[in-house]
């Protein structure tokens, strides 16, 4: 497996979307924002889905080729607690020693809280509650979002000096450490890893963790992140970038892409519940190919692929 920075180029699958809403129940209105993992020689997606009520559940789908999926008939994670009673949203998943650690957003229609659940089979999950009760990852800028507010937790599968590292955050990006993968100590609220980028760039409204980070061939950390701009008419545009970090200094960015590697380009990317969104939450290496799974305008689910050995034809400014 070759892993380097920047990872890519990725090409959106010509037959996207690979999953659409179906039926008249829990996944009848939107299917999007998937976590991804390889298990028993198959790609498994844990995806967000909801009906018209926008109360989100997490569904499970599996594939032999990374492109064509069979769905589990019922959700595998649903609202059940006060902190997630109106939605279990936007999962990311990491496997460590046979246990799957799923971070997701618990939504109570007032605050968003990053939550944790664990499983050994991807079907039955144990919830461990909200992770950072008092954090507001929209700080230091704020953007008018009241705390507590935290989303988007990506756990690095490989330990760093005996501890586990997670990047998290919507608005700005932060990091946290854990010795047991269940209890996490965040960095200071005043010391984000990344804040929204300068005006006129593709992340000047917010940045947000994408899939769990991975280790490159030379031992550095590659973190895919989502980024957004907001327009005066209230619309947004979400794209994706990449960061390079040092595990010995996880709060300092060594390099970053200055242009998106994924952005809205198709009808589904540009039209939906929230239009003009490509939002990446799943990344796996499978059969000599990298698969990046993403939500299309909060409505359908797409994939982009990079076959190891392909090259960027040009480097942007």
């Amino acid at each position: 497996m070759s892993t380097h920075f920047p990872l890519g180029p990725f090409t959106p699958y010509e037959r996207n979307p690979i999953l659409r809403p179906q039926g008249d129940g829990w996944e009848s209105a939107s299917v999007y924002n998937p976590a991804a993992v390889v298990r028993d020689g198959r790609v498994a997606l844990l995806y967000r889905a909801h009906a018209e009520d926008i109360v989100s559940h997490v569904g499970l789908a599996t594939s032999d080729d990374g492109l064509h999926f069979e769905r589990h008939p019922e959700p595998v994670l649903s609202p059940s607690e006060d902190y997630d009673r109106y939605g279990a949203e936007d999962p990311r998943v990491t496997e460590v020693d046979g246990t799957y650690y799923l971070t997701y957003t618990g939504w109570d229609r007032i605050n968003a809280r990053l939550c944790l659940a664990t499983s050994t089979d991807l079907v039955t999950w144990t919830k461990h509650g909200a992770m950072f009760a008092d954090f507001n990852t929209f700080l230091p800028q704020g953007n008018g979002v009241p705390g507590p507010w935290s989303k988007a937790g990506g756990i690095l599968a490989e330990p760093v000096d005996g501890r586990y590292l997670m990047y998290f955050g919507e608005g700005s990006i932060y990091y946290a450490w854990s010795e047991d993968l269940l209890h996490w100590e965040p960095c200071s609220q005043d010391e984000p890893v990344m804040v929204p980028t300068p005006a006129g760039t593709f992340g000047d409204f917010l940045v947000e963790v994408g899939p769990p980070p991975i280790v490159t061939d030379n031992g550095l950390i590659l973190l895919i992140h989502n980024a957004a701009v907001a327009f005066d008419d209230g619309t947004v545009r979400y794209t994706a970038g990449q960061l390079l970090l040092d595990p010995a200094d996880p709060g300092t960015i060594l390099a970053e892409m200055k242009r998106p590697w994924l952005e809205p380009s198709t009808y589904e990317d540009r039209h939906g519940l929230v239009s003009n969104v490509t939002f990446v939450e799943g990344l796996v290496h499978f059969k000599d190919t990298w698969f990046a799974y993403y939500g299309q305008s909060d409505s359908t689910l797409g994939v982009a692929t990079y076959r190891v050995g392909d090259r960027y034809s040009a480097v942007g400014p």
Side-chain angles (χ1 to χ4, degrees):
M1 179 174 68
S2 177
T3 308
H4 54 269
F5 174 87
L7 193 67
F10 283 87
T11 301
Y13 181 45
E14 62 183 8
R15 296 185 180 178
N16 280 336
I18 58 171
L19 288 181
R20 297 177 181 270
Q22 68 175 11
D24 58 5
W26 63 279
E27 55 180 342
S28 59
S30 291
V31 171
Y32 57 115
N33 291 7
V37 68
V38 176
R39 181 172 189 263
D40 296 334
R42 309 187 84 201
V43 176
L45 296 184
L46 294 152
Y47 59 90
R48 177 181 176 182
H50 57 73
E52 295 293 343
D53 61 5
I54 317 184
V55 176
S56 294
H57 305 255
V58 175
L60 173 66
T62 57
S63 171
D64 290 322
D65 65 2
L67 300 172
H68 304 89
F69 283 84
E70 301 173 359
R71 304 193 216 199
H72 193 77
E74 301 296 332
V76 296
L77 189 75
S78 293
S80 63
E81 311 299 324
D82 285 346
Y83 56 78
D84 67 5
R85 62 184 178 274
Y86 289 114
E89 305 177 352
D90 296 348
R92 280 90 166 160
V93 67
T94 298
E95 184 268 329
V96 178
D97 296 333
T99 297
Y100 298 93
Y101 296 84
L102 182 80
T103 64
Y104 71 97
T105 301
W107 177 235
D108 64 7
R109 292 188 177 163
I110 299 173
N111 302 112
R113 294 177 175 87
L114 185 63
C115 301
L116 180 67
T118 56
S119 174
T120 57
D121 62 6
L122 299 178
V123 176
T124 301
W125 293 88
T126 299
K127 292 183 178 181
H128 299 277
M131 302 174 76
F132 307 120
D134 299 323
F135 227 86
N136 183 356
T137 60
F138 265 98
L139 297 177
Q141 274 76 357
N143 286 343
V145 176
W149 192 278
S150 59
K151 289 186 176 185
I155 298 171
L156 183 66
E158 302 180 27
V160 178
D161 294 330
R163 296 187 298 169
Y164 289 92
L165 175 66
M166 173 173 60
Y167 289 96
F168 70 100
E170 176 197 32
S172 296
I173 293 174
Y174 295 82
Y175 69 90
W177 291 103
S178 175
E179 295 184 357
D180 63 2
L181 290 160
L182 297 178
H183 305 89
W184 292 85
E185 183 66 31
C187 66
S188 170
Q189 176 79 77
D190 299 326
E191 298 178 354
V193 176
M194 187 184 195
V195 298
T197 55
T201 57
F202 68 97
D204 65 8
F205 176 63
L206 64 81
V207 291
E208 181 172 349
V209 169
I214 55 177
V215 176
T216 64
D217 291 348
N218 61 353
L220 299 176
I221 295 172
L222 188 153
L223 179 66
I224 287 173
H225 71 91
N226 297 294
V229 297
F231 302 105
D232 291 341
D233 64 359
T235 61
V236 294
R237 185 174 190 266
Y238 275 80
T239 58
Q242 297 183 29
L243 306 175
L244 189 66
L245 305 111
D246 185 347
D249 184 14
T252 299
I253 297 171
L254 301 178
E256 62 181 284
M257 293 187 73
K258 295 297 187 181
R259 61 184 175 96
W261 62 270
L262 182 69
E263 56 190 326
S265 62
T266 67
Y267 180 86
E268 288 84 4
D269 296 342
R270 293 172 174 157
H271 299 84
L273 181 63
V274 180
S275 296
N276 293 312
V277 174
T278 51
F279 195 86
V280 185
E281 289 189 27
L283 177 71
V284 296
H285 185 265
F286 183 66
K287 297 183 177 180
D288 297 321
T289 299
W290 286 96
F291 292 77
Y293 296 96
Y294 56 97
Q296 300 174 290
S297 293
D298 286 13
S299 299
T300 52
L301 195 157
V303 64
T305 59
Y306 157 55
R307 189 166 182 84
V308 175
D310 293 346
R311 301 283 185 178
Y312 282 99
S313 59
V315 178

